[in-house]
Amino acid sequence: MERKLSPARSSTALSSLRSPLRAVVLTVAVLALLGGIASGCGGGDDKTTIEPTTTSTATEPGVGQASSGAELFSNNCQSCHGPNGAGGNIGPDLQKSSVAENLARVENQVRNGGGAMPPFSDVLSDDEIDTVAHYVVEQIAPKG
């Protein structure tokens, strides 16, 4: 005996098959799309290389050091020595100071303090002290 489904029942049977089928097709399409995107990211034989950049250290004066020295001076010294070291509230005018012409003396003064100046060894790192000392000698100290 062959059983025939009424048109109303066959429509319900087909729609119950279509819903899972749509979900499978949609899932496969999304996975294929994601796989295509992922295959374009990273890996491969890209010959692009990244060249290392050189940075100036505290012992080699350069543009970067002058900039960071200016910032260190502004943040730590300017309140006493004034803008551009031209004298301020407490500190002497570094533009007229013979001490400011000598790197070792400036480093020692910044590190250990002296007179009314407090030591900065607990505030600045050795590299920062070296950088600000270079800045004072090369940019602020009297020329000539």
Side-chain angles (χ1 to χ4, degrees), residues 64-142:
Q65 186 178 17
S67 175
S68 60
E71 184 177 349
L72 286 166
F73 186 88
S74 176
N75 292 339
N76 297 282
C77 313
Q78 184 170 313
S79 62
C80 292
H81 291 285
N84 301 314
N89 300 326
I90 300 169
D93 182 345
L94 298 176
Q95 293 179 0
K96 297 178 181 173
S97 169
S98 61
V99 172
E101 296 175 307
N102 184 297
L103 182 62
R105 288 178 71 188
V106 172
E107 287 175 337
N108 183 56
Q109 186 75 19
V110 173
R111 185 171 282 110
N112 302 313
M117 183 170 168
F120 279 80
S121 57
D122 290 341
V123 177
L124 302 173
S125 70
D126 287 339
D127 285 343
E128 290 171 324
I129 290 171
D130 192 47
T131 298
V132 78
H134 272 278
Y135 175 76
V136 168
V137 170
E138 296 166 10
Q139 304 294 321
I140 294 178

Side-chain angles (χ1 to χ4, degrees), residues 55-62 65 130-131:
T55 57
S56 67
T57 63
T59 56
E60 11 169 13
Q65 186 178 17
D130 192 47
T131 298

Side-chain angles (χ1 to χ4, degrees), residues 1-6 9:
M1 280 184 47
E2 194 175 321
R3 198 170 154 196
K4 271 198 155 187
L5 295 175
S6 69
R9 282 186 113 178

Side-chain angles (χ1 to χ4, degrees), residues 24 30 41 54 67 78 87 91 102 114 141:
V24 169
V30 168
C41 297
T54 57
S67 175
Q78 184 170 313
N102 184 297

Side-chain angles (χ1 to χ4, degrees), residues 1-73:
M1 280 184 47
E2 194 175 321
R3 198 170 154 196
K4 271 198 155 187
L5 295 175
S6 69
R9 282 186 113 178
S10 69
S11 171
T12 306
L14 280 176
S15 66
S16 67
L17 287 174
R18 285 183 187 158
S19 184
L21 184 60
R22 282 185 184 157
V24 169
V25 169
L26 183 60
T27 302
V28 169
V30 168
L31 290 174
L33 178 64
L34 290 175
I37 291 171
S39 69
C41 297
D45 290 320
D46 188 9
K47 301 293 182 196
T48 304
T49 58
I50 299 172
E51 295 295 323
T53 58
T54 57
T55 57
S56 67
T57 63
T59 56
E60 11 169 13
V63 174
Q65 186 178 17
S67 175
S68 60
E71 184 177 349
L72 286 166
F73 186 88

